[in-house]
Each structure stands twice: as structure tokens, then as C-alpha cells.
Amino acid sequence: MDFSIASILLLDGVTNGAVYALLGLATVLVFTVTRVIFIPQGEFVTYGALTLAMMQTGKTPGTVWLLLILASVASVMELADRWRHDGNVGRAVMAGLRTLASPLAIALLSIWAASQQLPLWVQAALSAAIVSAFGPLIYRVAYQSLEAATPLVLLIVSVGVHFAMTGLGLLFFGAEGFRNPAFWDQRFALGPVTLGGQAVIIFGVSLALILLLWLYFEKTLRGKALRATAVNRTGARLMGISTHTSGQFTFLMAAFIGGLSGLLIGPTTTVFYDSGFLIGLKGFVAAVIAGLSSYPGALIGALFVGVVESFGAFWASAFKEVIVFTLILPILLVRSLSSGHSDEDH
Amino acid sequence: MKLKNTLLALAITAVSSTTALAEIKIGVSLALTGPGSGLGIPMQNQFKLFPQTIAGEKVSLIVLDDATDPGKGAANARRFVTEDKVDLIIGSCITAVAAAMTDIAAEASTAQLAGSPVGVPAGKDKWLFRLPQSNTVMGYAMVEHMKKQGVKTVGFLGYTDAYGEQWLKEVTPLMDKAGIKIIATERFARTDTSVTPQALKLVSANPDAMLVVASGSGAAMPQLGLLERGFKGKIYQTHAAATMDLMRVGGKAVDGTFVSAGPVIVPDQLPDSHPSKKIAMDFVAKYDKVYGAGSHNQFAGHAYDAQVALEKAVPLALKKAKPGTPEFRTALRDAFETMGSTQFAHGIMNWTKDDHWGYTMETAVMLKVVDGKFKVE
């Protein structure tokens, strides 16, 4: 193991770690606001990468049809709920249509754009938009009625959503994998390592996103409202903060981060319909290292996971996954011994 | 009145049950979801074109998904033998899953046509027949090619599961005999997104050639990983990577790869004297007509060969017993062993009492990727 090999491994580990950091951040974000351990975060990554891949081949991506179906289901649920709640048909229909509006617009735009062979970054932006639209709809359909449930129930629902999304992914994308073209083909030589342009973009986007999230939660009123919902749901409702909107907005952000990660890793690896699960799970390990509560912790945890994975694969490639996931055990042990019992069961 | 209705109902039941007994039931377990779905879905496509009758008997296929999971495969096999009482089991296309089904099939005295080159301990394969060529047969063609190219050292990058393990086990003695040394071995999982550390280690060992053992579109990622780390030597892929998906995902970078394959991949390039050329072209024409030009691959070819095997063996078995009886299952197994040399799309098959692999060493064809297409070497 000389310096050049160590530096190549370190760079590879940190690049992977940056993507895991994005997913870890999204996991922590969703958990702190809604108490949902969002296992299907990885599926957003897959959908993002594969939607762009399908658009590149000139076909309408299957995610668009899935989006339309999901939007219809969500708007019918919204309509029924409002009707039962208010008794007023007109207002209920308006609510249903509001839910349907933006997903429908995005879907129609994508169907038109798929055949146009637009430039890469336009298609990437569209893919991110399609995947982001999934977030609030999934929250509406799967989680909104269970807002008061314990994290365990929400975790079980998450597993169900994961299986549904993976199965639908197989249906819409097929069993074979895709690779996207790189956004930036440049290669920079830094001593013994070559830094690819794609890696630079990954680092840049990760840092920018972390900064934006920090600014949002610290400086804006809405961000503080979301944090309030995380601390005490009833108290926030008393203050006029709608838990429905908080949940949907959080999922919108998580889906956007997931889709963005998918666009970032698409060029560096072959993405299959089921690749998202393992990537999301490593992001979850990073979030666990952060105690599912701190963003800088998730970043550090993710970089740690990436580097350990890289060096572990070099020394014992057959046991790479074992090494990465066994990491959770000592960390959980240390955390549960050092922190007291948290009073979150209200 | 009531008595007449009862007698009528009894009569109808009796007639319909005898027609049910006369049909041949085949249980098919394939990986239609999970990482192995790239192998299972083409086989299912071919089974959709399966004939309705063979030798005058109605045939019904029960296709179940085993999700690339040996546990599910075993559950499917158990259901086939206890509930459906099938005459034959076909499955699975994944080595590890087929191995899990073997004991159950043998216990129920039902023949199993495996869609993967599954190796079992000696004597355990009385009821197991493999449709694909063994890795030894494929490896033989590869090692001969390596000898001709003057390769002396090889680096191995393969799946961490049964497929990779078996290739390593079977190709090592072949290479030893040819005087070629495997100087580095690295493994990776089917679902891995990058092999940079493994590629680093392999490339720094600097072998003459690399052997990549992976399947379908997943075979492109390890090869690209090796090329990214600056490997300039020859790269060999196995027959599970002999699909257009390798070129679709790998692009121009995979030009010049050597792939060992069965004759079905490019039958039009085989010499006319090749015994399997006609039947392979027949398979390609039928499959591509329904599923699109160029969509045929290794795995669908094995499903077609199952049909060919049954069309030859079932008439022989019917002479001895009726379908749905244990005697028929034994007769079918004996028919496979005694039907002699048969032309499969994948080569000349000759299952005997002692050899349930069947293909001879000359079956495999070495292909080279040239300009995004396969060419016979």
C-alpha cells in the first residue's frame, strides 16, 4: 500500500461518501420532521438516474405514467378526505384538483419533451422535477393518515413502500441496467490521482446542498416551523403550523435530494432498478452514525462509510458489505450507552 | 330428478378428471425479479412461445418467480412436487437457486432441467440435467484461445456468489494444465456500484489478461472499472455476458473483448457444417420475430433447448407410462439419458447415465466484440 494507491482509494471513498452524505442528509431530514425512517430514499436515486437514461434514448420514461397514477390516487384520497371533513363537495373537488395540478403539468411537459431531444441539462432538470413530484404524493398516499403513529409503524410502512417502488421500478424500467453520459468529461491530474469532472460536480453539489439546508433551517421562518414540528407535533399545530404541509414539503425535499443524487451517480456506475436500496441503506448507516439527528454528523458519517468501504474492498473484497454494515453495531452501542433515554414518545 | 343431476355431475367430473390426468404438467421456476431477472425474463419470453401440445398430449407450464432467492426457489420446488404434482421441473436460471431445488426434486423422484450450470456433490445429480454448457466446457474454449494468444498470467474479477465461485473452481485446473497462472483474484457483489479498489489491486498485479465473471448488463461495470484504472491487456468475459446489453452499457470501451458463448448468439456467422447452425437460426428467427431483432440471447436459447429435449423425450416416455404417474416421471428421466445425441440450439447434447452435463468440449464458440457487434473468432 503506497501513497498513490492510498490516495486513489481515499478519493474513491470520499466521492462515494459524498453521495451517501446526500442520502444520509435526506434520511435525517425526513426523520427529524416526520419521525419516518424513510427506507425508500434509495429508490428516488434509482428513479432519477433511470428517468434520465430513458429520456436519453428518446422514450417517455415510465416514471411519468407512475407519477400520473400516483397523482390520481392522491387527489381522489384528498377529495374524499375533504368531503368527509367539510361536507362541501365544491371545496373537496378543488382540493383534489390542487393535488393533481403540478404533477399533471410536469408529466405533460415531460411527455412532450421526451421526443424533442433537448440538451442534457434540460433533461436532467426535468428528471429531477419528475422525481421531486413523487415526494409529496407518497407522503399523501402512504403516511399522512398515520401521522400520529409510532416510528415502528411508520418504519413498517416504509418497508412496504420500498417493495412497491422496487417492483414498479422493475415494471417500468426492465431488468437491465443503464449508464448516463457524464455532465463534465474533464479529468484533472492532482499528483498521483486523476480527479474526474463528475467527482468535482458531486462535491460541489453536496456542499451547496448542505449549506442551503443549513441556511433554510436556521434563517427562514418556514425552516424553523419545520424544526418546530419535529420537536413537538401538537405544539406546532397549536401555533398554526400544518403538519400535513410540513410532511409533504419535507418529502418534496427528500425526493429532490434523492433524484439529484441519482443524476450525480448515473454517469459513474451502471444503475439497475434495484441498485437504489443498497445505496440508500449506506446513507442510512451514515444517518445512524449521526444519531438520526445532526446534519454535520451525517456528513462525517457518510464520508467515514465511503472511505471504510473503499479500503475494505481493497483488502478483503469478498467481505466489503459485511465490514460496512457491521460498523453500525459498535456505533449504536457507544451511542446508546452515552446518551440517555429520549422523551420523544408524546 | 335429483338423482339424474347427481349422475350427470358425476359423469362430467369423471370425464374432466381423466382429461386433466392426461396432460403433462411442467413446473418452471425462474428469477423474474431481483438481480437475476436479466436471465429469467428472456427465458420466460421463450417459454411463452412453448407449444400447447407435445406428441399429442396437452402440456401446461406453471411459471413461478423465485426472485433470485434460493429459499423461494426451494419453496417453489416443494409446491411443484406436493401440490401441483408436476411431471418435470425446469429451473432455475440462477446457479444458487437451482442447487437449492435439486434435493427436493430428487426426493420426489422428479427430473429437473436446470437453466444454470449448477454443480452438486457426486452422485446427487441422478435427477438433475443441466441445459447450459458447464463452465468447464466454456472455460476450455477460453483457455485454448488464451494459449493461442500467448497469455501467461490472468487476473480474476468475479461475482462473490455461486456463479463466480464455480467459474474460479472450474477454470483454475484448466489454466494449470495450459501453463497459465491466476496471479490475482478479486470478488464483488452483483449489486455493487463500483469496483475501483478491486480494479486497483488487479491492475497493479499487471497480468496479461483479465477474466471478468459477471452476467448481463452487470458485466459492463467491472470491465469499465478495469479500463478506467488503465488496464491495457486482453479482457475475457463469460457466456453469461454474451448479450447486447454488454455493448449497450459499455459503449465503445468494450470493443475488443473476447466472450465465450454458445452457438446461438450469432448463428449466421457459423460455418454451414456446424451441426447446430440450422436449429440455432430457427430459434433466433422465431424469438426475434416476437420480441424484436437482436433480442435473442444465451438464456432464451436454453429455454428453447428445453422444448427440443421434451419434444424428443416425451414420445419415448409415453410408450412406458401415462403423465401424472411416478412411472412417467421415471420414464422421462430415463428417456433423457437414453435419447442419445440431440441437436440443441446450443450444440450437440448427449446426456448419458454417467454424464448429466452432456455437451462436448468443442461446443463453445469464442466471440469478439467488434464495432459494437459480436463476431466469431
Side-chain angles (χ1 to χ4, degrees):
Chain A
M1 165 80 64
D2 61 5
F3 180 67
S4 65
I5 293 185
S7 44
I8 296 173
L9 287 176
L10 197 65
L11 181 64
D12 183 58
V14 167
T15 314
N16 288 334
V19 177
Y20 298 152
L22 287 176
L23 293 173
L25 284 170
T27 313
V28 172
L29 172 65
V30 171
F31 183 74
T32 48
V33 179
T34 61
R35 285 282 175 272
V36 174
I37 299 177
F38 197 51
I39 304 276
Q41 184 65 40
E43 254 68 67
F44 288 137
V45 176
T46 318
Y47 280 20
L50 292 178
T51 308
L52 181 61
M54 299 243 84
M55 271 208 226
Q56 283 279 299
T57 63
K59 292 202 284 260
T60 314
T63 17
V64 171
W65 309 122
L66 183 58
L67 183 64
L68 283 172
I69 296 170
L70 197 57
S72 329
V73 171
S75 55
V76 166
M77 282 175 80
E78 185 70 23
L79 197 153
D81 264 358
R82 273 308 178 89
W83 194 356
R84 216 168 356 145
H85 195 258
D86 293 346
N88 185 329
V89 182
R91 289 239 290 271
V93 171
M94 282 314 295
L97 285 176
R98 256 203 306 274
T99 320
L100 193 57
S102 36
L104 187 64
I106 295 175
L108 291 172
L109 182 63
S110 313
I111 295 173
W112 168 78
S115 48
Q116 297 295 316
Q117 280 303 81
L118 299 167
L120 183 62
W121 65 271
V122 176
Q123 285 184 337
L126 261 175
S127 306
I130 295 173
V131 177
S132 313
F134 268 98
L137 294 173
I138 288 181
Y139 181 77
R140 180 66 192 84
V141 172
Y143 295 101
Q144 190 160 304
S145 50
L146 292 169
E147 262 166 12
T150 63
L152 183 61
V153 172
L154 294 169
L155 173 62
I156 295 172
V157 173
S158 295
V159 174
V161 172
H162 157 67
F163 280 127
M165 288 182 79
T166 311
L168 289 165
L170 174 61
L171 182 66
F172 285 112
F173 297 118
E176 294 296 340
F178 290 86
R179 247 191 136 98
N180 290 332
F183 290 114
W184 196 9
D185 272 324
Q186 275 278 45
R187 303 198 78 89
F188 306 98
L190 299 167
V193 299
T194 18
L195 189 64
Q198 192 68 26
V200 173
I201 295 180
I202 292 177
F203 291 136
V205 169
S206 307
L207 286 170
L209 217 73
I210 292 168
L211 191 65
L212 280 172
L213 277 175
W214 177 77
L215 280 173
Y216 181 76
F217 281 106
E218 284 296 315
K219 307 291 179 195
T220 66
L221 190 61
R222 254 188 159 208
K224 292 183 189 170
L226 280 182
R227 280 169 61 198
T229 321
V231 170
N232 188 322
R233 174 159 288 114
T234 319
R237 283 179 68 195
L238 285 171
M239 292 300 115
I241 301 169
S242 156
T243 45
H244 293 337
T245 332
S246 314
Q248 288 182 3
F249 191 68
T250 310
F251 269 66
L252 174 72
M253 285 200 286
F256 174 67
I257 295 175
L260 197 62
S261 311
L263 295 173
L264 290 175
I265 66 158
T268 61
T269 175
T270 314
V271 179
F272 293 79
Y273 76 98
D274 59 355
S275 332
F277 181 53
L278 216 54
I279 301 173
L281 218 53
K282 291 193 184 135
F284 176 69
V285 172
V288 165
I289 294 176
L292 278 173
S293 55
S294 110
Y295 295 111
L299 174 62
I300 294 170
L303 291 174
F304 179 61
V305 167
V307 171
V308 166
E309 188 189 13
S310 199
F311 279 88
F314 186 81
W315 277 315
S317 57
F319 297 105
K320 180 181 78 157
E321 306 292 355
V322 176
I323 295 172
V324 170
F325 289 113
T326 318
L327 273 181
I328 301 188
L329 298 174
I331 290 169
L332 274 179
L333 199 61
V334 165
R335 275 203 164 269
S336 57
L337 286 175
S338 62
S339 64
H341 178 77
S342 73
D343 54 349
E344 57 153 67
D345 295 321
H346 51 54
Chain B
M1 187 68 193
K2 260 198 162 158
L3 183 61
K4 196 171 96 175
N5 279 349
T6 324
L7 284 176
L8 196 63
L10 266 174
I12 294 176
T13 330
V15 168
S16 49
S17 57
T18 37
T19 40
L21 271 175
E23 82 173 352
I24 301 174
K25 284 211 223 143
I26 303 177
V28 183
S29 173
L30 296 170
L32 300 173
T33 58
S37 45
L39 287 76
I41 292 181
M43 287 187 80
Q44 185 197 31
N45 286 345
Q46 177 58 43
F47 280 124
K48 286 203 189 118
L49 308 175
F50 207 82
Q52 301 273 40
T53 60
I54 294 182
E57 298 286 353
K58 192 165 161 316
V59 177
S60 80
L61 290 175
I62 309 167
V63 180
L64 290 181
D65 176 24
D66 58 44
T68 322
D69 176 18
K72 278 221 191 70
N76 287 349
R78 208 161 275 298
R79 185 200 133 140
F80 287 150
V81 302
T82 51
E83 277 177 43
D84 300 314
K85 299 214 183 358
V86 297
D87 299 306
L88 177 72
I89 296 179
I90 301 183
S92 161
C93 51
I94 303 294
T95 312
V97 183
M101 296 167 68
T102 309
D103 280 335
I104 298 168
E107 227 183 277
S109 304
T110 310
Q112 177 189 2
L113 291 180
S116 48
V118 49
V120 290
K124 283 280 202 98
D125 61 352
K126 184 163 174 282
W127 294 88
L128 171 69
F129 297 86
R130 293 96 169 162
L131 289 165
Q133 302 85 342
S134 69
N135 296 332
T136 311
V137 167
M138 288 300 187
Y140 179 79
M142 199 183 277
V143 172
E144 289 298 301
H145 190 271
M146 283 183 182
K147 256 201 324 215
K148 266 198 236 122
Q149 298 275 323
V151 169
K152 283 271 170 284
T153 52
V154 166
F156 180 93
L157 179 60
Y159 278 157
T160 218
D161 65 12
Y163 185 60
E165 188 63 31
Q166 251 179 289
W167 254 97
L168 186 60
K169 270 216 209 83
E170 292 186 39
V171 89
T172 309
L174 288 171
M175 290 206 184
D176 284 342
K177 233 188 332 181
I180 303 174
K181 223 169 131 7
I182 299 182
I183 55 175
T185 314
E186 293 296 323
R187 317 295 286 274
F188 66 102
R190 251 177 232 258
T191 43
D192 274 351
T193 51
S194 122
V195 287
T196 310
Q198 292 95 324
L200 249 183
K201 216 163 179 203
L202 283 168
V203 173
S204 55
N206 205 10
D208 294 329
M210 294 280 191
L211 173 57
V212 177
V213 179
S215 65
S217 47
M221 184 269 291
Q223 185 165 350
L224 291 172
L226 288 169
L227 293 170
E228 230 171 78
R229 293 265 68 90
F231 184 68
K232 299 269 182 294
K234 305 185 212 318
I235 300 189
Y236 286 83
Q237 290 263 15
T238 63
H239 51 295
T243 84
M244 293 302 286
D245 285 316
L246 176 64
M247 284 83 95
R248 177 177 61 83
V249 182
K252 267 205 286 287
V254 301
D255 268 356
T257 314
F258 297 111
V259 187
S260 71
V264 295
I265 303 299
V266 274
D268 42 311
Q269 290 179 30
L270 296 169
D272 283 338
S273 55
H274 196 288
S276 287
K277 178 165 178 174
K278 187 167 152 317
I279 190 168
M281 296 207 59
D282 189 39
F283 152 68
V284 168
K286 288 208 188 98
Y287 190 87
D288 282 0
K289 190 164 81 154
V290 181
Y291 295 108
S295 61
H296 65 277
N297 60 23
Q298 187 89 0
F299 319 110
H302 294 313
Y304 185 76
D305 288 339
Q307 180 184 328
V308 173
L310 283 169
E311 277 171 350
K312 193 165 183 198
V314 166
L316 296 174
L318 280 174
K319 282 199 216 135
K320 292 207 204 136
K322 292 218 86 50
T325 60
E327 292 81 30
F328 183 73
R329 301 203 290 268
T330 317
L332 195 56
R333 188 200 80 94
D334 292 338
F336 284 139
E337 279 180 351
T338 52
M339 67 186 187
S341 199
T342 318
Q343 267 178 353
F344 274 7
H346 264 284
I348 302 296
M349 168 57 79
N350 197 350
W351 284 318
T352 64
K353 197 157 108 43
D354 299 313
D355 178 15
H356 283 194
W357 288 98
Y359 288 108
T360 59
M361 285 305 207
E362 284 73 36
T363 313
V365 177
M366 279 310 288
L367 304 171
K368 184 171 178 186
V369 178
V370 175
D371 277 339
K373 295 209 223 319
F374 285 119
K375 282 227 167 343
V376 176
E377 265 281 276

